[in-house]
Amino acid sequence: RYPVKKWAAALAIVAALLYAGLAGWTTPTQRSVIMAGIAFLAVILDRSPISLQLVAWAAFLVLLFQPDSLLGASFQMSFAAVFALVVVFERLGPWFAARRQGWGEGATWDAKLFSTLSWLFIGLAATVATSFVAGLATLPFALFHFDRVSVYGIVANAIAVPLTGFWIMPFAALSLLLMPFGLEGWALTAMGWGCDALLA
Protein backbone atom coordinates (compact mmCIF):
# COMPACT_ATOMS: atom_id res chain seq x y z
CA ARG A 1 0.00 0.00 0.00
CA TYR A 2 3.00 2.30 0.41
CA PRO A 3 5.88 3.07 -1.99
CA VAL A 4 8.44 1.46 0.35
CA LYS A 5 10.91 0.91 -2.49
CA LYS A 6 10.93 4.66 -3.22
CA TRP A 7 11.40 5.49 0.47
CA ALA A 8 14.31 3.04 0.61
CA ALA A 9 15.84 4.63 -2.52
CA ALA A 10 15.65 8.11 -0.94
CA LEU A 11 17.32 6.83 2.25
CA ALA A 12 19.95 5.07 0.13
CA ILE A 13 20.92 8.39 -1.51
CA VAL A 14 21.53 9.87 1.95
CA ALA A 15 23.47 6.75 2.99
CA ALA A 16 25.64 6.97 -0.15
CA LEU A 17 26.53 10.60 0.60
CA LEU A 18 27.39 9.77 4.22
CA TYR A 19 29.51 6.81 3.11
CA ALA A 20 31.36 8.98 0.58
CA GLY A 21 32.09 11.46 3.35
CA LEU A 22 33.62 8.67 5.42
CA ALA A 23 35.53 7.09 2.52
CA GLY A 24 36.89 10.34 1.06
CA TRP A 25 35.84 12.00 -2.18
CA THR A 26 38.23 10.22 -4.57
CA THR A 27 37.31 9.97 -8.27
CA PRO A 28 35.93 6.38 -8.04
CA THR A 29 33.92 7.41 -4.95
CA GLN A 30 32.48 10.42 -6.79
CA ARG A 31 31.57 8.18 -9.73
CA SER A 32 29.92 5.67 -7.39
CA VAL A 33 27.93 8.30 -5.48
CA ILE A 34 26.75 10.08 -8.64
CA MET A 35 25.74 6.81 -10.32
CA ALA A 36 24.03 5.51 -7.17
CA GLY A 37 22.23 8.83 -6.71
CA ILE A 38 20.96 8.91 -10.30
CA ALA A 39 20.00 5.20 -10.17
CA PHE A 40 18.02 5.65 -6.94
CA LEU A 41 16.42 8.80 -8.35
CA ALA A 42 15.35 6.70 -11.35
CA VAL A 43 13.75 4.20 -8.95
CA ILE A 44 11.85 7.07 -7.28
CA LEU A 45 10.69 8.30 -10.71
CA ASP A 46 9.78 4.76 -11.93
CA ARG A 47 12.49 4.74 -14.59
CA SER A 48 15.05 2.04 -15.44
CA PRO A 49 17.98 2.67 -13.06
CA ILE A 50 20.88 1.15 -15.02
CA SER A 51 21.84 2.41 -18.48
CA LEU A 52 24.73 3.89 -20.43
CA GLN A 53 23.12 7.31 -19.93
CA LEU A 54 23.82 6.83 -16.23
CA VAL A 55 27.52 6.25 -16.96
CA ALA A 56 27.62 9.26 -19.30
CA TRP A 57 26.04 11.60 -16.72
CA ALA A 58 28.43 10.41 -14.03
CA ALA A 59 31.43 11.01 -16.31
CA PHE A 60 30.09 14.45 -17.30
CA LEU A 61 29.60 15.56 -13.68
CA VAL A 62 33.00 14.27 -12.51
CA LEU A 63 34.77 15.96 -15.44
CA LEU A 64 32.80 19.17 -14.94
CA PHE A 65 34.43 19.69 -11.54
CA GLN A 66 37.68 17.75 -12.08
CA PRO A 67 38.60 17.79 -15.79
CA ASP A 68 42.19 16.76 -15.01
CA SER A 69 40.95 13.42 -13.63
CA LEU A 70 40.40 12.24 -17.23
CA LEU A 71 44.10 11.43 -17.54
CA GLY A 72 44.27 9.56 -14.22
CA ALA A 73 44.25 5.79 -13.76
CA SER A 74 41.38 5.96 -11.30
CA PHE A 75 38.99 7.70 -13.70
CA GLN A 76 39.94 5.59 -16.72
CA MET A 77 39.81 2.22 -14.95
CA SER A 78 36.69 3.02 -12.94
CA PHE A 79 34.64 4.18 -15.93
CA ALA A 80 36.00 1.49 -18.27
CA ALA A 81 34.90 -1.21 -15.83
CA VAL A 82 31.45 0.29 -15.22
CA PHE A 83 30.85 0.93 -18.94
CA ALA A 84 31.68 -2.68 -19.80
CA LEU A 85 29.57 -4.05 -16.94
CA VAL A 86 26.51 -2.01 -17.94
CA VAL A 87 26.82 -3.13 -21.58
CA VAL A 88 27.19 -6.82 -20.66
CA PHE A 89 24.55 -6.98 -17.93
CA GLU A 90 22.01 -5.08 -20.04
CA ARG A 91 22.22 -8.08 -22.38
CA LEU A 92 22.07 -10.59 -19.51
CA GLY A 93 19.14 -8.85 -17.78
CA PRO A 94 16.36 -10.85 -19.50
CA TRP A 95 18.12 -14.12 -18.60
CA PHE A 96 18.34 -13.14 -14.92
CA ALA A 97 14.68 -12.04 -14.97
CA ALA A 98 13.65 -15.46 -16.32
CA ARG A 99 15.51 -17.16 -13.43
CA ARG A 100 13.45 -15.18 -10.90
CA GLN A 101 10.22 -16.85 -12.02
CA GLY A 102 10.91 -19.84 -9.72
CA TRP A 103 10.01 -17.64 -6.73
CA GLY A 104 6.74 -16.50 -8.28
CA GLU A 105 3.42 -16.65 -6.46
CA GLY A 106 2.05 -20.18 -6.25
CA ALA A 107 5.42 -21.88 -6.86
CA THR A 108 5.79 -25.28 -5.16
CA TRP A 109 8.32 -25.86 -2.35
CA ASP A 110 10.64 -27.89 -4.59
CA ALA A 111 10.57 -25.13 -7.24
CA LYS A 112 11.47 -22.60 -4.54
CA LEU A 113 14.28 -24.86 -3.23
CA PHE A 114 15.68 -25.30 -6.74
CA SER A 115 15.34 -21.56 -7.29
CA THR A 116 17.26 -20.82 -4.06
CA LEU A 117 20.07 -23.24 -4.93
CA SER A 118 20.26 -21.91 -8.47
CA TRP A 119 20.43 -18.34 -7.10
CA LEU A 120 23.50 -19.30 -5.06
CA PHE A 121 25.09 -20.62 -8.24
CA ILE A 122 23.92 -17.59 -10.24
CA GLY A 123 25.36 -15.27 -7.56
CA LEU A 124 28.76 -16.95 -7.84
CA ALA A 125 28.53 -16.93 -11.65
CA ALA A 126 27.63 -13.22 -11.61
CA THR A 127 30.65 -12.48 -9.39
CA VAL A 128 32.95 -14.39 -11.75
CA ALA A 129 31.40 -12.72 -14.82
CA THR A 130 31.71 -9.28 -13.19
CA SER A 131 35.39 -9.87 -12.38
CA PHE A 132 36.10 -11.16 -15.89
CA VAL A 133 34.32 -8.30 -17.68
CA ALA A 134 35.78 -5.57 -15.43
CA GLY A 135 39.25 -7.12 -15.61
CA LEU A 136 39.12 -7.30 -19.39
CA ALA A 137 37.89 -3.71 -19.67
CA THR A 138 40.59 -2.33 -17.36
CA LEU A 139 43.41 -4.48 -18.79
CA PRO A 140 44.77 -1.89 -21.30
CA PHE A 141 44.76 0.85 -18.64
CA ALA A 142 46.45 -1.40 -16.06
CA LEU A 143 49.16 -2.25 -18.58
CA PHE A 144 49.65 1.41 -19.46
CA HIS A 145 49.69 2.84 -15.94
CA PHE A 146 51.14 -0.01 -13.87
CA ASP A 147 52.92 -2.34 -16.34
CA ARG A 148 51.19 -5.38 -14.85
CA VAL A 149 48.25 -7.73 -15.40
CA SER A 150 46.04 -9.36 -12.77
CA VAL A 151 46.47 -13.10 -13.29
CA TYR A 152 44.19 -14.61 -10.64
CA GLY A 153 41.83 -11.68 -10.03
CA ILE A 154 38.72 -13.67 -11.02
CA VAL A 155 39.40 -16.40 -8.44
CA ALA A 156 40.35 -13.84 -5.78
CA ASN A 157 37.16 -11.81 -6.39
CA ALA A 158 34.98 -14.94 -6.24
CA ILE A 159 36.19 -15.27 -2.62
CA ALA A 160 36.67 -11.60 -1.73
CA VAL A 161 33.31 -10.20 -2.90
CA PRO A 162 31.07 -12.51 -0.78
CA LEU A 163 33.48 -12.14 2.17
CA THR A 164 33.29 -8.36 1.93
CA GLY A 165 29.53 -8.23 1.35
CA PHE A 166 28.43 -10.75 3.96
CA TRP A 167 31.08 -10.34 6.68
CA ILE A 168 33.32 -7.26 6.55
CA MET A 169 30.83 -4.55 5.54
CA PRO A 170 28.00 -5.67 7.86
CA PHE A 171 30.39 -5.61 10.84
CA ALA A 172 31.77 -2.24 9.66
CA ALA A 173 28.24 -0.79 9.60
CA LEU A 174 27.43 -2.36 12.96
CA SER A 175 30.58 -0.91 14.54
CA LEU A 176 29.62 2.54 13.23
CA LEU A 177 26.17 2.23 14.85
CA LEU A 178 27.72 1.07 18.14
CA MET A 179 30.40 3.82 18.30
CA PRO A 180 28.20 6.42 20.08
CA PHE A 181 27.74 3.90 22.90
CA GLY A 182 31.41 2.81 23.11
CA LEU A 183 30.45 -0.77 22.21
CA GLU A 184 32.16 -1.02 18.81
CA GLY A 185 35.16 -3.07 20.01
CA TRP A 186 33.78 -6.56 19.39
CA ALA A 187 32.32 -5.59 15.98
CA LEU A 188 35.67 -4.13 14.89
CA THR A 189 37.44 -7.30 16.09
CA ALA A 190 35.08 -9.46 14.02
CA MET A 191 35.55 -7.13 11.05
CA GLY A 192 39.32 -7.49 11.52
CA TRP A 193 39.05 -11.28 11.19
CA GLY A 194 37.29 -10.77 7.86
CA CYS A 195 39.96 -8.29 6.72
CA ASP A 196 42.71 -10.77 7.67
CA ALA A 197 40.96 -13.49 5.65
CA LEU A 198 40.57 -11.08 2.72
CA LEU A 199 44.28 -10.16 2.76
CA ALA A 200 45.28 -13.81 3.07
Side-chain angles (χ1 to χ4, degrees):
R1 294 180 185 162
Y2 299 98
V4 177
K5 189 176 181 180
K6 295 182 180 183
W7 296 351
L11 287 173
I13 292 172
V14 176
L17 290 169
L18 291 173
Y19 177 77
L22 286 171
W25 289 90
T26 60
T27 300
T29 306
Q30 291 173 32
R31 191 261 311 149
S32 298
V33 170
I34 291 168
M35 289 187 70
I38 295 173
F40 289 129
L41 186 62
V43 169
I44 293 169
L45 299 174
D46 294 319
R47 300 289 299 272
S48 175
I50 305 299
S51 70
L52 288 177
Q53 289 177 324
L54 178 65
V55 182
W57 273 108
F60 170 75
L61 290 171
V62 169
L63 291 173
L64 186 65
F65 296 102
Q66 288 184 310
D68 57 313
S69 66
L70 179 65
L71 302 177
S74 46
F75 180 94
Q76 293 172 4
M77 295 182 76
S78 178
F79 276 98
V82 171
F83 177 84
L85 288 169
V86 170
V87 168
V88 169
F89 281 98
E90 270 188 342
R91 305 310 187 266
L92 291 177
W95 185 83
F96 278 107
R99 305 284 81 75
R100 290 193 194 101
Q101 299 308 314
W103 260 109
E105 191 176 339
T108 60
W109 70 269
D110 54 331
K112 289 184 177 182
L113 177 63
F114 179 77
S115 177
T116 302
L117 292 174
S118 67
W119 261 109
L120 292 173
F121 174 75
I122 289 169
L124 181 61
T127 300
V128 171
T130 299
S131 299
F132 177 74
V133 170
L136 203 60
T138 57
L139 178 65
F141 302 104
L143 281 170
F144 178 78
H145 289 287
F146 309 115
D147 296 322
R148 61 178 58 188
V149 177
S150 175
V151 178
Y152 54 90
I154 294 174
V155 176
N157 281 339
I159 299 167
V161 170
L163 184 63
T164 304
F166 293 107
W167 184 270
I168 296 171
M169 292 308 290
F171 277 111
L174 187 59
S175 68
L176 194 65
L177 293 173
L178 293 173
M179 274 181 191
F181 310 103
L183 301 172
E184 72 278 7
W186 69 271
L188 288 172
T189 301
M191 179 182 147
W193 296 336
C195 290
D196 290 339
L198 181 69
L199 291 172

